[in-house]
Amino acid sequence: MQPVAIFPVANTLGEGVVWDDQAQSAYWTDIQGRTLYRLDWAKQALQKTAMPVRLASFGFIGGQASFIGAFEDGFALFDPGTGQRGRVLAPEGLQAGLRMNDGRVDRQGRFWAGSMAEDPALHGQAQLYCVAHGAISTEERGVSISNGLCWSPDGTICYFADSIRQVMWQYRVDASGRLGMRREFAVFDGSTCPDGATVDAEGYVWVTVWGGGRVLRLAPDGRTDRVLEVPVAQPSCVAFGGADLDLLFVTSAQHGLPAPQTGAGDLFVYNVGVRGLAESRFKIDGWPENPVLED
Ligand code: BGC
Ligand code: CA
């Protein structure tokens, strides 16, 4: 399948793509480039905003124009138009050599993000956090590189990956919203690993295969349903967008490639014939300050 559009942004580490159904725009971050991107799909217009520090992932906020971000050093509200950040809440265990990474708002309006070891000596010391009602809780430990966070349409299954362990897990979410038993959902071989992921309206998981040049569509039982080959080795994150939520936006990265590759770091858009779900919005109740920006 050929992309319907390619945006030659040449990101060092394009990540965290999410579709804003209100603004009809895709937003993503170049983590290493410290830049937030916005693509207004109707206008086909790209806008870039410099970030004060590396922004790893983010979510939209219900009723507010600010976003909630997982920055390298912790969680903060920020203005996507200027990059101005509010107070930074550093989670427990986020020490030098670790930084925040993949994140997403769950179906209940909580923002989850996990950390990753940039220093290999800290493998196994990253964590998965949940931000709700103004507090940050640790929900998983023993992680090396957090990735692949997404939820089933009804929110009762959470997907989460550790790229270094080349595994994606599936967790039951109990009635109180906590993660229950986990089981292996997908394993990756060779030098490939799971990166960003999302769930479509049929409950299938679309996961980027970093190092493998493809995006997989996996059934809820883990079976591979479709393989979407992409023209770059390191696709990094996916989101459904467009007026009908049937376009798949795929970010990619140059960072870590053994040799330069044409198109690496660009944004690819595919018409995959499957619909996604609108992204949930973070519930800001209990956050310890007013948003940096009113809607
Ligand atoms: C991280 C990268 C990492 C990649 C593959 C991304 O989410 O931000 O630093 O190399 O996953 O593991
Ligand atoms: Ca990622």
Side-chain angles (χ1 to χ4, degrees), residues 217-273:
R217 183 183 194 234
L218 304 175
D221 64 5
R223 175 178 51 86
T224 300
D225 174 72
R226 269 173 76 171
V227 179
L228 172 67
E229 305 280 349
V230 297
V232 291
Q234 295 180 164
S236 52
C237 199
V238 276
F240 282 95
D244 296 324
L245 287 175
D246 61 352
L247 299 174
L248 191 71
F249 292 75
V250 184
T251 53
S252 68
Q254 301 189 47
H255 152 96
L257 276 174
Q261 184 183 34
T262 306
D266 292 350
L267 177 88
F268 302 88
V269 186
Y270 295 88
N271 193 333
V272 289

Side-chain angles (χ1 to χ4, degrees), residues 15-16 31 101-102 146-148 195-196 236-237:
E15 277 283 4
I31 302 179
N101 197 43
D102 193 78
S146 296
N147 264 316
D195 206 341
S236 52
C237 199

